[in-house]
């Protein structure tokens, strides 16, 4: 398989301007140089070239950002902003992002490697939907009047609850869809009156920095949205440890999530963890095969498999196994692999050389364990970090390629006989993030849905996060939820007020 390399789209002037601009942290509405002078390179995964240098944030930089966020939290301009004004401000922010969608899509293509049209339309599309959905919440954050009766003789009370912002939020974001996940944390912070310090992944910080600048342009007060670049061990750790941070919203791997949870215990922060997955896809013999194969392909090869909800374990009813595997392999072979800036690219590179090597390690171990590469199975030569879309048939259920999150364009296929066996195989994982059922039999679907231990079940659909639907996992896929009304609960405290009136 070859990589398409010629005829790349040219960068629009806005993208070029931002790339050329010296990169700093974004604190209190200003670009601020790093305190240490240390920096790191951001690499274009399509050709291994350095895109730009980014300052590596320190505990001092984190403290500066948290102080700015804490000042903004208590500033009447933000604290007392009428809910309808906050709503209007969020819509202005969304409109401005929409006007810069092509630029943001190009930054994601350069930084993550995803096709730029996916960045522009799918990722930025979700960013806009999330911001506009969350803009409906500021006017609806109500408490309740409670009837507590007369708990003491001859004493009457008026009792009510009110909802308040949880405080300064520390957001830690991964590299796979950086802009979208940053917005899953920024939008509820804006809706609830919190302030936020974001630490993007050291691998893909570009679009998030640009987003912070757009927030200021849209009228979000200085200090409400801050971005500190840097590595997890230093900047991330300092954010989790800081006593002025009330909440940590983390998206990333289970290993890091567990470490963050341990650290956050010292200051008893409110913690939300959105972690990895190894999501099962159950394909029944009554499914619409054409739609199923397209949906399964999109669900594992979209964003080169670097998706937390990727359907990476395919369980196929035995009678249709060979046919389904061959159809999926054919679909995989038809995908065009190339740089994110190539207009025909379906599948971009993996995000880094180290990640490409990790994915290849899983594929090779899967082959050694007895899996058959029906298609793919190799890295693609070139300066970029490409791996062929891969379908591995019949690896053992207990092997690493079936049990571990690979985060690459690799799907395993294993047959099953009946619904109980399908559910048992689907649940045979430490994760519980997403799951997929392809079937036209409503009874089979309703029998399977309650048996599956996962935060999301998509029936006859590939994954798409909708801002109204809570997003998160069972088991070791996390704690709490992003999106939906649930995230608003995680970003607010409920205060009970009891007033004696005689
Ligand atoms: P990662 O855990 O390596 O890093 C995530 C972030 O945590 C980065 O910003 C990193 O710098 C920071 N970090 C690392 N160590 C830290 C520490 N000790 N303290 C504080 N911060 C620290 O994950 P990744 O490789 O960037 O992302 C891929 C992972 O993210 C996959 O496991 C994927 O499934 C998961 N993910 C989950 C969801 C979801 O919604 N559940 C969405 C996207 C990605």
């Amino acid at each position: 398989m070859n990589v398409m390399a010629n005829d790349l789209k040219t960068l629009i002037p806005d993208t070029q301007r931002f790339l050329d601009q010296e990169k700093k942290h974004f604190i209190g509405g200003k670009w601020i140089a790093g305190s240490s002078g240390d920096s790191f390179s951001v690499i274009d995964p399509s050709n291994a070239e350095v895109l730009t240098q980014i300052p590596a944030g320190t505990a001092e930089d984190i403290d500066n950002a948290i102080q700015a966020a804490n000042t903004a939290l208590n500033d009447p301009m933000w604290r007392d902003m009428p809910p309808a004004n906050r709503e209007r401000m969020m819509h202005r922010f969304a409109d401005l992002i929409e006007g810069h969608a092509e630029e943001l899509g190009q930054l994601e293509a350069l930084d993550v490697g995803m096709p730029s049209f996916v960045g522009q339309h799918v990722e930025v599309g979700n960013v806009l939907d999330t911001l506009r959905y969350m803009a409906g919440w500021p006017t609806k954050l109500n408490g309740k009047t409670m009837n507590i009766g007369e708990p003491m003789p001859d004493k009457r009370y008026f009792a009510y609850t009110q909802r308040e912002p949880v405080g300064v939020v520390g957001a830690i974001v991964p590299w796979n869809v950086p802009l979208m996940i940053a917005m899953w944390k920024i939008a509820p912070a804006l809706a609830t009156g919190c302030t936020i310090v974001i630490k993007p992944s050291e691998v893909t910080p570009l679009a998030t920095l640009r987003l912070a600048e757009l927030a200021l342009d849209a009228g979000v007060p200085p200090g409400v949205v801050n971005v500190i670049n840097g590595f997890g061990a230093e900047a991330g750790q300092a954010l989790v440890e800081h006593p002025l941070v009330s909440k940590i919203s983390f998206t990333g791997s289970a290993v890091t999530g567990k470490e963050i949870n341990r650290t956050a215990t010292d200051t008893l922060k409110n913690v939300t963890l959105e972690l990895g997955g190894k999501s099962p896809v159950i394909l029944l013999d009554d499914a619409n095969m054409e739609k199923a194969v397209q949906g399964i392909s999109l669900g594992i090869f979209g964003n080169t498999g670097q998706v937390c909800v990727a359907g990476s374990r395919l369980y196929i009813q035995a009678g249709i196994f060979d046919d389904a595997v061959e159809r999926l392999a054919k679909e995989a072979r038809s995908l065009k692999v190339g740089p994110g800036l190539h207009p025909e690219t379906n599948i971009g590179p993996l995000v880094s050389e180290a990640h490409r090597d990790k994915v290849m390690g899983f594929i090779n171990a899967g082959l050694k364990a007895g899996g058959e590469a029906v298609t793919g199975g190799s890295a693609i030569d070139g300066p970029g970090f490409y791996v062929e879309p891969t379908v591995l048939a019949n690896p053992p259920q207990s092997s690493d390629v079936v049990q571990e999150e690979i985060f690459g364009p690799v799907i395993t296929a294993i047959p099953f006989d009946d619904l109980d066996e399908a559910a048992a195989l689907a649940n045979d994982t430490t994760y519980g993030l997403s799951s997929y059922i392809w079937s036209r039999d409503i009874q089979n679907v309703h029998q399977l849905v309650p048996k599956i231990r996962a935060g999301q079940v998509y029936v006859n659909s590939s994954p798409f996060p909708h801002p109204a639907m809570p997003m998160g996992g069972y088991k070791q896929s996390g704690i709490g939820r992003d999106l939906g009304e649930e995230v608003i609960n995680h970003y607010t405290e409920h205060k009970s007020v009891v007033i004696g009136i005689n």
Side-chain angles (χ1 to χ4, degrees):
M1 185 173 251
N2 294 320
V3 172
M4 302 180 304
N6 300 323
D7 304 324
L8 299 190
K9 277 189 217 162
T10 45
L11 297 180
I12 60 171
D14 281 351
T15 314
Q16 194 61 57
R17 178 201 67 80
F18 185 71
L19 271 184
D20 294 343
Q21 175 182 320
E22 188 189 352
K23 303 296 176 305
K24 298 182 176 178
H25 306 300
F26 195 77
I27 304 175
K30 295 194 178 76
W31 291 116
I32 306 281
S35 60
S36 72
D38 292 344
S39 68
F40 57 93
S41 304
V42 174
I43 308 287
D44 178 345
S46 74
N47 57 20
E49 286 174 12
V50 174
L51 285 167
T52 185
Q53 292 294 321
I54 303 278
T58 61
E60 187 183 334
D61 298 320
I62 285 285
D63 182 58
N64 288 340
I66 292 170
Q67 298 297 344
N70 195 47
T71 302
L73 183 74
N74 297 302
D75 185 334
M77 182 171 47
W78 181 238
R79 191 190 58 206
D80 302 336
M81 184 183 278
N85 291 11
R86 226 164 41 231
E87 176 177 343
R88 272 199 293 275
M89 179 203 78
M90 291 174 75
H91 282 294
R92 273 200 309 275
F93 187 18
D95 292 345
L96 201 56
I97 292 170
E98 195 164 24
H100 288 268
E102 188 175 2
E103 174 192 355
L104 293 166
Q106 291 196 337
L107 287 174
E108 291 291 73
L110 288 166
D111 211 0
V112 185
M114 68 176 69
S116 57
F117 76 88
V118 173
Q120 178 176 347
H121 298 290
V122 181
E123 196 184 2
V124 175
N126 183 278
V127 163
L128 296 173
D129 290 348
T130 300
L131 194 46
R132 288 175 176 145
Y133 167 84
M134 290 295 165
W137 276 107
T139 52
K140 297 166 192 72
L141 294 177
N142 301 312
K144 291 179 184 160
T145 307
M146 313 301 276
N147 177 1
I148 63 169
E150 289 187 19
M152 250 79 75
D154 302 326
K155 186 86 179 139
R156 286 170 51 226
Y157 294 91
F158 178 67
Y160 63 96
T161 61
Q162 63 184 35
R163 297 177 74 174
E164 297 180 352
V166 69
V168 176
V169 175
I172 301 176
V173 177
W175 48 257
N176 60 325
V177 263
L179 199 63
M180 181 178 92
I181 292 177
M183 185 52 79
W184 289 5
K185 301 175 187 319
I186 294 170
L190 297 178
T192 53
C194 294
T195 59
I196 189 163
V197 177
I198 307 160
K199 196 208 77 64
S201 167
E202 60 276 22
V203 186
T204 57
L206 295 181
T208 308
L209 286 167
R210 184 69 180 109
L211 195 65
E213 201 174 40
L214 292 175
L216 189 74
D217 293 348
V220 176
V224 172
V225 176
N226 308 275
V227 182
I228 299 291
N229 308 289
F231 294 94
E234 185 160 11
Q237 174 90 10
L239 189 57
V240 181
E241 284 174 350
H242 204 291
L244 283 179
V245 172
S246 302
K247 173 177 179 59
I248 291 291
S249 176
F250 171 75
T251 301
S253 64
V255 172
T256 309
K258 289 176 193 177
E259 200 178 326
I260 284 177
N261 207 24
R262 280 190 288 270
T263 307
T265 301
D266 281 345
T267 42
L268 277 185
K269 290 180 173 49
N270 162 336
V271 175
T272 307
L273 302 174
E274 296 293 339
L275 309 179
K278 188 72 182 175
S279 300
V281 184
I282 299 175
L283 176 59
L284 299 185
D285 58 12
D286 58 64
N288 177 327
M289 282 290 276
E290 207 172 308
K291 287 189 179 163
V293 165
Q294 277 173 11
I296 293 166
S297 170
L298 184 61
I300 182 62
F301 300 128
N303 206 24
T304 325
Q306 301 166 122
V307 175
C308 55
V309 292
S312 51
R313 294 183 292 136
L314 176 57
Y315 298 107
I316 306 173
Q317 203 147 19
I320 58 165
F321 185 81
D322 291 343
D323 180 42
V325 166
E326 194 38 58
R327 285 180 189 234
L328 183 61
K330 192 172 165 210
E331 185 76 19
R333 282 182 215 114
S334 75
L335 297 170
K336 292 181 178 157
V337 178
L341 285 180
H342 195 293
E344 286 173 35
T345 290
N346 303 122
I347 305 274
L350 291 166
V351 77
S352 67
E353 186 173 12
H355 190 53
R356 191 262 321 269
D357 294 349
K358 183 177 154 203
V359 170
M360 282 312 302
F362 276 114
I363 293 177
N364 290 330
L367 292 170
K368 214 167 157 192
E372 178 205 349
V374 185
T375 189
S378 303
I380 307 175
D381 282 345
F385 313 127
Y386 296 93
V387 167
E388 292 175 332
T390 297
V391 179
L392 273 191
N394 288 310
Q397 169 69 15
S398 60
S399 59
D400 282 357
V401 76
V402 179
Q403 293 295 329
E404 302 288 328
E405 184 182 48
I406 300 175
F407 228 54
V410 184
I411 189 166
T412 57
I414 291 177
F416 69 87
D417 288 317
D418 57 31
L419 294 189
D420 283 342
E421 188 187 3
L425 287 166
N427 288 332
D428 177 26
T429 167
T430 55
Y431 293 112
L433 191 55
S434 194
S435 60
Y436 306 87
I437 300 168
W438 292 89
S439 170
R440 282 181 289 196
D441 184 321
I442 196 164
Q443 291 186 331
N444 285 340
V445 169
H446 278 294
Q447 284 187 47
L448 276 173
V449 168
K451 289 184 177 154
I452 293 176
R453 303 275 302 152
Q456 280 84 231
V457 184
Y458 291 92
V459 180
N460 298 326
S461 173
S462 39
F464 66 97
H466 189 282
M469 298 293 285
M471 161 79 203
Y474 286 26
K475 302 198 276 184
Q476 296 192 29
S477 287
I479 299 175
R481 294 291 181 270
D482 274 344
L483 302 180
E485 184 173 359
E486 284 66 14
V487 79
I488 296 293
N489 289 329
H490 290 303
Y491 278 64
T492 46
E493 295 281 13
H494 292 248
K495 182 177 274 177
S496 294
V497 185
V498 179
I499 303 173
I501 54 177
N502 65 343

